[in-house]
């Protein structure tokens, strides 16, 4: 790294301004953002992003699933670029930082390099991945999943939202079905900056999370079939109460996750009683489980313990409990060389830092299956995300963007 | 009782036919009945009932809340009549017996007395109470509650259904807002035949339940305010999970009710997670509790234990739990003389019987606050009610109607 590069800092005020400027596209009354993928607000932010990329001298192209790529030439154009970026879509009641920070920080890196007249050895390419959130179309992280070959482009194009609109129709309606076949924009490596979406960095007062792993995920769909009966006239010993059954499952999941902790979490986030009534014992409940660990052996243990607990509870309460594993994503282990590069950048810049596991899934987790990838985390207030209250400080966002820039410079090299 | 009266039996086939004839009004594909109070199907069954009453020589009048009264003259018209009956409205997916049996058995008693040429000393009056179920308009047992003075007629007339239609408008639309002021039809006593809506009689193989009491009811509205956060990135020890909190409350309610059993039940029938998502820890849940006992001291103990448990759970989990008592109905103790009359009739007729507490609320429980009242229960299949699968045997319905008839004859007296 040249001296000029090692002293380089991004323009904090400009980064902060772009975050707030784009937050207008889908702004909510409570200060959050509602920018569902491929909707009119997403078109607005995409148009803004394309223009900003072009103004920064980038060559923009869009792939067949709408992911946007802005290429900055390097000295050696025989090398594939180093990729950096994230996503610009949000949750239905999302915040200003989730995804946005990583995409706009990538733009800010380009602008800073431009201002400083720095040419990199390898080219760099900033990316806005389509539909990371998965709120409108399933699955989440759909475009990066197709990029790495987990789904075909045609499969993803045919997915429908709740109104029956396909991804293809949505792309066409906003003019973002691009010409580049999905997966043809190659990278030597990919780095994604993101807010932590958890409370650890803030609690430990660290500025930078050097993300070395991502949790594997087990998703289950569950159903309890007890017996609906009158709350007044059914004696306690004769009940087959679906909600009491669920309650034991919730507490079992909690204690199993704690037993395998700290590298395990387990959550029941959805539970719907069929035909609920104040004076009727719940007879049927549908629920979902989300269970995670960064350790594959712990994931196996979570699954085994959960199934055993559910079977025991069902037998004791004389109810039927169905538990179907609907998704199993193995843990992500980010590329050690890239993780070191992130850590070195944080260290060289003098930021407090720690290694951290990503609790959430990210496009970088998908990309890591086909190329070296890594992530940089910065704290978010109270660990809150997917919420209009989501917040992060300008100083932390700036630090994250600086770490992103110096990691990318280390990977791409600075032309001497 | 004259010999002729003591040998008297109702016409089992005729009772069974009327039950199935009226089940056509609002019949559901699964063999149940959907006959919401004051709707078009309720008008159909009311018109049928009025015609049947008139054909049986009864003088029909309707009160200001639509309750229907069919008076059969007695020898001594200076005495108020003995009342008998129930309701003809059903739950949205109700059965053929709940309420219907008691009303049509009352009609069958009149028809049988007519056929046998029996005159009673006091008159008798059969009743169809408006809106016992409470599914369309709250509260349940609305007309009998107004009859005993718990609500004014104007208050009840102004209650609205989910579509905003008032009771007054609904009564007018089907032509059943009658002339008689509510409460002016006096009775010396009231007897109601009903299916048990619980499993006890069937389990003990008894034909007749001699209902000596009705449970008191505590209704609570509850709210849990924890903290919504990401299921992947929030470590187990930092969670404030509303569903895990609810789970502990559900299991606490269950164990408290068992501790005070067998004369206590407690149920959480409704629980709704705010903004549920598979990968979000539930932050807020609204729930309801229904807690009952036939013993006032046990009701107090249930309330005290529940509040203590909820406070402890909330403190341990660092969440807020609001618990508001929205309704408290004291236990019903039916009139001992009437309870004895029911028991004597069952004994004289040779039916197996036992004293029983009504787990559910009934119009007779309201009436008991202003006059001697009692109830007769017959078994229902598997204790199922408020369900299209609700079922009862012809033999049991017949036995119940016979007990009803002989109880009424004992109360009204047979003219010699």
């Amino acid at each position: 790294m040249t001296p000029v590069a090692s002293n380089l800092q991004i323009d904090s005020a400009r980064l902060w301004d772009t975050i707030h400027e784009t937050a207008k596209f889908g702004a909510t009354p409570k200060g959050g953002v509602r920018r569902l993928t491929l909707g009119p607000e997403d078109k607005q932010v995409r148009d803004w992003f394309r223009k900003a990329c072009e103004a920064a001298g980038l060559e923009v192209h869009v792939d067949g699933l709408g992911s946007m790529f802005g290429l900055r030439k390097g000295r050696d154009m025989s090398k594939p670029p180093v990729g950096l970026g994230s996503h610009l879509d949000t949750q239905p009641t999302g915040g200003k930082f989730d995804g946005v920070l990583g995409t706009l920080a990538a733009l800010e890196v380009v602008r800073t390099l431009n201002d400083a007249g720095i040419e990199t050895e390898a080219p760099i390419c900033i990316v806005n991945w389509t539909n990371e959130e998965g709120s409108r179309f399933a699955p989440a992280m759909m475009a990066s999943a197709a990029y790495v070959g987990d789904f075909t482009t045609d499969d993803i194009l045919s997915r429908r939202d709740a109104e029956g609109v396909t991804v293809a129709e949505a792309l066409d309606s906003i003019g973002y079905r691009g010409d580049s076949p999905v997966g043809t924009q190659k990278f030597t490596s990919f780095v994604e900056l993101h807010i932590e979406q958890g409370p650890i960095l803030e609690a430990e007062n660290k500025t930078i999370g050097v993300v070395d792993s991502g949790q594997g995920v087990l998703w289950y769909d569950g159903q309890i079939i007890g017996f609906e009966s009158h709350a007044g006239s059914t004696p306690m010993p004769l009940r087959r109460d679906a909600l009491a059954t669920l309650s034991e499952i919730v507490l079992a999941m909690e204690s199993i996750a704690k037993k395998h902790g700290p590298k395990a979490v387990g959550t029941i986030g959805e539970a719907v009683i069929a035909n609920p009534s104040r004076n009727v014992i719940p007879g049927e409940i549908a629920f979902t489980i989300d269970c995670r660990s960064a350790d594959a052996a712990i994931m196996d243990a979570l699954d085994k313990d959960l199934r055993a607990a559910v079977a025991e509870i069902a037998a004791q309460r004389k109810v039927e409990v169905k538990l179907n594993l609907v998704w199993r994503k193995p843990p992500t282990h980010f590329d050690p060389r890239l993780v070191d590069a992130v850590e070195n950048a944080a260290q060289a810049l003098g930021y407090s830092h720690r290694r951290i596991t990503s609790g959430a899934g990210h496009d970088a987790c998908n990309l890591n299956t086909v190329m070296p990838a890594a992530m940089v985390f910065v704290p978010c207030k109270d660990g809150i995300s997917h919420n209009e209250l989501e917040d992060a400080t300008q100083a932390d966002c700036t630090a994250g963007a600086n770490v992103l820039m110096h990691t990318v410079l280390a990977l791409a090299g600075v032309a001497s």
Side-chain angles (χ1 to χ4, degrees), chain A residues 179-191:
Chain A
D179 299 328
S180 313
V182 171
T184 50
Q185 174 62 62
K186 298 298 181 192
F187 303 102
T188 55
S189 53
F190 188 86
V191 189

Side-chain angles (χ1 to χ4, degrees), chain A residues 190-272:
Chain A
F190 188 86
V191 189
E192 180 171 3
L193 168 64
H194 209 282
I195 55 170
E196 180 195 344
Q197 303 184 288
I200 296 170
L201 294 177
E202 186 182 53
E204 297 188 4
N205 203 24
K206 302 287 189 194
T207 302
I208 297 294
V210 178
V211 188
D212 57 6
S213 53
Q215 292 188 113
V217 182
L218 300 166
W219 273 4
Y220 304 86
D221 282 353
Q223 190 185 20
I224 301 169
I225 300 167
F227 195 79
E228 198 171 276
S229 49
H230 196 293
S233 52
T234 313
M236 300 305 291
L238 297 181
R239 295 174 173 220
R240 292 162 57 209
D241 184 331
L243 183 58
T245 306
L246 177 73
S247 297
E248 290 194 335
I249 294 172
V250 168
L251 298 175
M253 177 76 266
E254 186 179 56
S255 72
I256 290 166
K258 282 181 176 171
K259 180 180 113 185
H260 293 288
K263 288 182 93 173
V265 289
T267 306
I268 296 184
E270 297 170 297
V272 178

